[in-house]
Amino acid sequence: MTGALITLDRERRVNGWSEGAARLTGWQAAEVVGRSIDELRADDDEESWLDRDGSQLALSDVTTELRDENGDLAGFAIHLRAPGDSQLLLGRLIESEEAERRRLAADLHDDSLQAIIATRMRLQILLDRFEGDDRLADDELSDLKQLDATVRAAIERMRRLLFDLRPAVLDSHGLGAAVNTHLDQLRAEEPVETRLIERTETELPHGRRAIAYRAIREALANVRKHARATQVEVTLHQDQDGLTATIADDGVGFDASDAALSEGRPRGLDFARERVEAAGGSFQIDSARGRGTTVELRVPAASDA
Ligand SMILES: Nc1ncnc2c1ncn2[C@@H]1O[C@H](COP(=O)(O)OP(=O)(O)OP(=O)(O)O)[C@@H](O)[C@H]1O
Ligand SMILES: [Mg+2]
C-alpha cells in the first residue's frame, strides 16, 4: 500500500514528490523536483535512500514504469515506505499533524479572531456615535467606514482559514454535520441535488475523523470541479469498527486509470488515498466516462482494526 509517491520523467528526474515523500525523506518537493533521483540514493542500490546530510535512510520502494497511450515509456512512479510498521508510523504522523492543526485552529480562534472581532465591535460603536452628530467631516467618517469594511473582510478571511485548518463543526457536531456544510455549499454553487444518508452509532476519534473528512471533502471538491452532476449522494456509516463512506455522483465520470497517471504529479485523490491508507483504511474509485463517479472509503477506528 502507498506510503508516499514519487514520480520521475523518462530521464529519471523527479517531477512529483508527495507530502508523504517529504515526511519520509526530509526533502521538500521544491528541493528535489528537477533533480535526478540517483542523487538521492546511495550508489545504485535501489533500497538505499539518503537524507539531506547524506546519511542513509531505511526505506523500501517499489518502482513501476509509466507508459503513455502509445505504450512508450513516459516515466516512473516510486512508492516509498519505511520498512516494517511504516503504515503505522505514517498513520501516527498524520494523526499528530491533525492534532497540531486542531490546536492551532483553537488558539487562533480563541485569541486572534476574538481580538479582531472585539476591535470591530469598538469600531462600530465609534461609527454609531459619529454618524449621529457632525463631529467628524464626511471624509473622516468615510475613512472610518472603510476601516470597518477592511476589518470585516479580515474576519471573513480568518474564519475561512480556520475552517480550512480544522472546521470546528467536525469536533463539535461530528463528521455528518461537517459533510453537510459542504453539501450546502455545493448546492449553493451548482444546480445539483444532494442527499446525505447517515447512520452514526459513534464518531471516529478526532485524528481519524479529520482524515476521513478531508478525503470526503476532496471527493466533493472534485464533484464541483469536474463532474457536472445533477445528483450527489453521500452515505456515512459509523460504528465502533470505523467509518465507511461513499460519495456518488451521476456526472461525466472519467477513466480512473488514466487520470492517476496523466500529469505524473500526485493530486487531490492521490493525497486523499495516501492519508486514508496510512490510517489503515482503504480508498476506491469507481468511474467510467458517462457513468458518473463513486468514491468509497473506509477508515478503521483504530490502526489494528
Ligand atoms: N467526480 C468526478 N467526476 C469527473 N471527473 C473526476 C471526478 N473526480 C476526479 N475526476 C477526474 O480525475 C482527475 C484527478 O482528480 P484529482 O482530485 O486527483 O485531481 P484534480 O482535482 O484535477 O486536482 P486537485 O485535486 O489537485 O486540485 C481530475 O482532474 C478529473 O479529470
Ligand atoms: Mg481534486
Side-chain angles (χ1 to χ4, degrees):
M1 299 279 108
T2 53
L5 184 67
I6 298 169
T7 55
L8 310 177
D9 65 14
R10 269 189 314 197
E11 276 76 45
R12 304 173 58 74
R13 282 187 303 253
V14 176
N15 59 12
W17 193 264
S18 74
E19 285 172 9
R23 264 193 309 273
L24 284 176
T25 62
W27 294 97
Q28 297 301 314
E31 300 172 300
V32 291
V33 166
R35 287 174 62 180
S36 163
I37 195 69
D38 301 310
E39 292 174 31
L40 304 174
R41 282 177 170 165
D43 305 324
D44 289 338
D45 185 352
E46 299 244 317
E47 295 276 279
S48 181
W49 291 77
L50 298 176
D51 71 7
R52 313 154 73 137
D53 311 321
S55 40
Q56 260 175 250
L57 293 166
L59 298 172
S60 56
D61 58 63
V62 181
T63 304
T64 42
E65 292 182 347
L66 304 180
R67 303 205 164 260
D68 64 20
E69 61 271 32
N70 303 319
D72 296 329
L73 185 66
F76 305 89
I78 302 179
H79 285 104
L80 194 63
R81 56 196 195 93
D85 60 355
S86 66
Q87 284 300 314
L88 213 59
L89 189 67
L90 191 60
R92 285 207 198 105
L93 275 171
I94 290 173
E95 285 188 57
S96 67
E97 179 202 317
E98 286 297 347
E100 195 57 42
R101 278 172 178 258
R102 203 169 142 220
R103 261 196 303 277
L104 188 61
D107 285 355
L108 284 174
H109 180 270
D110 295 347
D111 185 32
S112 313
L113 183 60
Q114 298 314 318
I116 309 179
I117 289 175
T119 305
R120 176 147 194 250
M121 281 164 67
R122 301 184 74 147
L123 252 175
Q124 283 182 315
I125 291 171
L126 283 180
L127 265 174
D128 279 352
R129 193 183 301 160
F130 290 132
E131 243 165 353
D133 56 38
D134 40 61
R135 266 181 294 168
L136 286 190
D138 282 354
D139 55 343
E140 286 170 325
L141 195 58
S142 96
D143 276 355
L144 209 52
K145 283 184 180 156
Q146 188 59 47
L147 191 60
D148 181 57
T150 308
V151 175
R152 190 181 60 216
I155 292 172
E156 256 322 293
R157 278 203 305 278
M158 184 90 162
R159 288 214 163 106
R160 249 177 284 148
L161 173 72
L162 281 174
F163 190 83
D164 224 40
L165 207 54
R166 178 82 182 199
V169 60
L170 186 60
D171 296 310
S172 58
H173 291 81
L175 187 59
V179 169
N180 231 341
T181 63
H182 286 277
L183 292 178
D184 288 347
Q185 203 181 330
L186 187 63
R187 274 197 316 278
E189 289 171 11
E190 301 285 322
V192 66
E193 282 175 28
T194 68
R195 209 148 90 100
L196 175 65
I197 301 168
E198 193 189 354
R199 198 184 68 215
T200 297
E201 289 167 22
T202 173
E203 292 281 338
L204 286 170
H206 290 292
R208 285 160 180 272
R209 198 186 304 175
I211 292 169
Y213 162 75
R214 286 187 208 293
I216 295 168
R217 188 181 68 172
E218 174 55 33
L220 288 174
N222 282 348
V223 172
R224 181 174 53 75
K225 274 198 294 191
H226 310 295
R228 285 182 268 138
T230 63
Q231 296 198 1
V232 188
E233 185 175 288
V234 179
T235 65
L236 302 176
H237 286 172
Q238 300 193 84
D239 56 29
Q240 65 263 37
D241 293 334
L243 158 86
T244 309
T246 59
I247 303 92
D249 70 63
D250 65 349
V252 295
F254 68 109
D255 181 342
S257 55
D258 256 16
L261 305 179
S262 56
E263 278 183 43
R265 97 193 139 83
R267 289 179 294 178
L269 287 174
D270 299 302
F271 287 125
R273 174 194 303 280
E274 184 177 289
R275 294 169 72 89
V276 166
E277 288 181 351
S282 63
F283 188 92
Q284 271 142 25
I285 303 163
D286 180 12
S287 187
R289 282 189 204 291
R291 288 208 289 108
T293 301
T294 299
V295 172
E296 175 169 355
L297 60 107
R298 175 155 181 81
V299 176
S303 351
D304 49 4

